[in-house]
Amino acid sequence: MALPAPHDGAAREASAGDSAVHEGILRRQSARESAARTYARSLPIVPVRARGLTIEGADGRRYLDCLSGAGTLALGHNHPVVLEAIRKVLDSGAPLHVLDLATPVKDAFTTELFRTLPPGLADRARIQFCGPAGTDAVEAALKLVRTATGRSGLLAFTGAYHGMTAGALEASGGAQDVRVTRLPYPQDYRCPFGIGGPRGAELAARWTESLLDDTKSGVPRPAGMILEPVQGEGGVIPAPDAWLRRMRTLTEKRSIPLIADEVQTGVGRTGAFWAVDHSGVVPDVMVLSKAVGGSLPLAVVVYHEDLDVWSPGAHAGTFRGNQLAMAAGAATLAHVRENRLDQRAADLGARILGQLEQAAKEFACVGDVRGRGLMIGIELVDPTGEASGPADADAVDPAGDTLLGAPSASPLPAAPALAAAVRDACLDRGLIVELGGRHSSVVRLLPPLTLTDEQAAAVVDRLTDALAAVARAAHCA
């Protein structure tokens, strides 16, 4: 697909020396690193300096970073409060590695974290420090509920992503393990029932309830249900608040622990401190990582004390006492809380979403714009493809009876090639975005919560310009 020539008004001209260093590092990475590398394939940049939203590459170009370490950088790159917290620990002479021993730094982090938790959980919570990645925290959560309930099965949702270790993959959307029962996750654009909206969510909830109560469903009472309040890698799909409350009621009545995976949605990202706060749901278990470490590796599980039946060493990890991450995390949590950056994310995110929805009306290759707070996705579709789902105003069964409500707009086929073209066109314009969704057809925005109005306008301008260029090249403007 032919695209316009690259341009980036914020970038300076790269010298020959800069380019040589840049190309050399990329060449050596390609020769040395595994075939499993991901972001490096689609983002051929070599970051050498960064501050806030901005990254400067080894070639001298500057970029607006709306990937933010896949949501890790709640305050952007090298925020002063994070750097000061790290320096304070380094200058104090405190130990940097202490396994799971108590330290003042850990105590301060735990105190600040508990201050932000949903009140119904914070009052009776326990915390497990895990290995320094969200996927290990997911593993811990799954082990916890299985140990506490004596059951082994799990309920998870289509489109889910919970990490890359064996147990986490087992509960993610692409797995096929028989111990995990797949449930429909409600969404509007690609509703599994062809309806969308509240009625589509109601059908998804009914399916779950029927599966749990039908003695012939083949699904015994599980150890737990794990869900994302907003599916991130699944395509930026916010769960309806009423549906989340329904899941809480269903699980509570049946003594099934509810696990909320807030690895990517937490610390203000969706416009509330925790994404479950939107619905008022209090889960039994919360899985936290990414932003809770203030840009450094940290992962924890917070859960109701009634589940705390583990024996010593039941879940452990050498690096579960990361002092620098705890200091950076406590500083980040406090800064977000004290400055109400969650509310800022809600307000600015709604504005950006509205601007992108308006701009998308010009492009037939944009199927849907969705998100919550500063977690936004744009789904690219093939406008020449055949729409799926009912074409009539009402869905009817073969007998001619009207089913539950009118269907959502029939979705067009996903267009991953167009999405990749938009990502590349954004990079040409000095904007870093990445893809998600079932077919990698959703362009995702995860800017820091410190995004200014001016920066937000620049992000929208560059993204809409990239969309326009791709639409013209694909003849779908």
Side-chain angles (χ1 to χ4, degrees):
M1 176 181 296
L3 292 176
H7 70 279
D8 177 10
R12 66 175 174 83
E13 287 296 321
S15 68
D18 289 338
S19 295
V21 170
H22 168 85
E23 293 299 332
I25 291 173
L26 290 179
R27 184 171 60 252
R28 288 188 291 276
Q29 180 188 41
S30 180
R32 295 167 176 171
E33 290 192 23
S34 80
R37 66 189 186 281
T38 54
Y39 298 110
R41 294 180 183 274
S42 57
L43 300 172
I45 62 177
V46 181
V48 293
R49 279 173 293 275
R51 187 75 169 203
L53 181 68
T54 304
I55 285 179
E56 182 176 334
D59 59 356
R61 294 195 68 202
R62 293 186 178 91
Y63 303 87
L64 303 181
D65 181 11
C66 281
L67 178 57
S68 299
T72 299
L73 304 172
L75 305 183
H77 294 276
N78 292 322
H79 193 280
V81 303
V82 173
L83 297 182
E84 177 59 26
I86 294 171
R87 288 192 190 101
K88 187 175 179 180
V89 175
L90 293 174
D91 293 343
S92 72
L96 300 183
H97 188 280
V98 292
L99 298 172
D100 67 350
L101 300 182
T103 70
V105 173
K106 177 192 274 191
D107 183 62
F109 169 80
T110 304
T111 299
E112 182 58 45
L113 177 62
F114 275 44
R115 185 177 287 139
T116 71
L117 294 175
L121 179 60
D123 297 342
R124 301 184 63 187
R126 293 289 185 271
I127 185 170
Q128 167 71 28
F129 288 86
C130 304
T135 189
D136 187 63
V138 169
E139 297 283 349
L142 302 185
K143 286 168 62 176
L144 173 71
V145 296
R146 282 170 168 155
T147 302
T149 64
R151 304 188 291 264
S152 61
L154 291 171
L155 301 175
F157 291 86
T158 54
Y161 177 78
H162 298 292
M164 294 299 293
T165 51
L169 283 172
E170 194 177 277
S172 297
Q176 300 178 6
D177 195 288
V178 296
R179 292 195 303 170
V180 178
T181 299
R182 305 288 158 203
L183 300 171
Y185 193 93
Q187 52 178 310
D188 287 338
Y189 189 63
R190 297 192 184 279
C191 174
F193 305 105
I195 293 174
R199 295 303 286 160
E202 169 65 17
L203 285 177
R206 285 191 191 183
W207 178 272
T208 300
E209 187 171 20
S210 173
L211 201 71
L212 291 174
D213 293 344
D214 184 352
T215 57
K216 295 297 184 181
S217 69
V219 179
R221 189 164 52 149
M225 172 189 284
I226 184 168
L227 58 78
E228 299 157 275
V230 180
Q231 287 194 343
E233 304 304 320
V236 192
I237 304 173
D241 291 339
W243 176 84
L244 268 178
R245 288 190 288 268
R246 183 76 171 274
M247 292 301 101
R248 173 68 286 188
T249 300
L250 289 175
T251 52
E252 198 166 40
K253 285 183 176 179
R254 293 159 181 81
S255 299
I256 301 169
L258 178 64
I259 305 168
D261 182 341
E262 291 256 17
V263 168
Q264 192 167 100
T265 56
V267 194
R269 169 61 55 190
T270 68
F273 207 98
W274 306 107
V276 292
D277 293 340
H278 291 290
S279 61
V281 162
V282 179
D284 300 293
V285 183
M286 292 178 68
V287 181
L288 314 175
S289 187
K290 292 192 185 293
V292 297
S295 76
L296 298 180
L298 185 64
V300 301
V301 179
V302 179
Y303 55 91
H304 194 281
E305 62 186 5
D306 289 351
L307 297 173
D308 197 29
V309 298
W310 271 343
S311 57
H315 195 82
T318 301
F319 293 100
R320 64 192 184 277
N322 189 335
Q323 299 293 286
L324 293 181
M326 290 176 191
T332 297
L333 291 167
H335 191 78
V336 172
R337 177 179 57 80
E338 292 167 359
N339 292 277
R340 301 195 64 194
L341 294 186
D342 52 347
Q343 185 59 54
R344 168 68 176 168
D347 297 340
L348 188 55
R351 189 190 316 164
I352 293 173
L353 198 62
Q355 291 170 342
L356 291 175
E357 287 172 341
Q358 188 62 34
K361 293 177 181 178
E362 303 176 21
F363 311 122
C365 56
V366 175
D368 195 30
V369 180
R370 54 184 179 257
R372 197 160 203 176
L374 289 175
M375 191 172 182
I376 296 171
I378 303 173
E379 182 164 354
L380 277 295
V381 296
D382 179 2
T384 66
E386 183 176 346
S388 61
D392 299 326
D394 291 310
V396 296
D397 67 13
D401 295 326
T402 301
L403 297 179
L404 294 172
S408 56
S410 300
L412 291 164
L418 287 179
V422 171
R423 177 193 60 202
D424 296 345
C426 284
L427 194 65
D428 289 341
R429 288 155 176 77
L431 177 63
I432 298 174
V433 298
E434 251 301 346
L435 307 182
R438 268 63 161 183
H439 305 283
S440 295
S441 60
V442 179
V443 176
R444 303 185 59 200
L445 293 178
L446 291 165
L449 311 187
T450 52
L451 191 71
T452 67
D453 290 350
E454 182 181 14
Q455 289 171 335
V459 168
V460 172
D461 286 347
R462 296 186 191 196
L463 178 53
T464 53
D465 192 51
L467 281 168
V470 171
R472 286 194 301 269
H475 306 293
C476 60

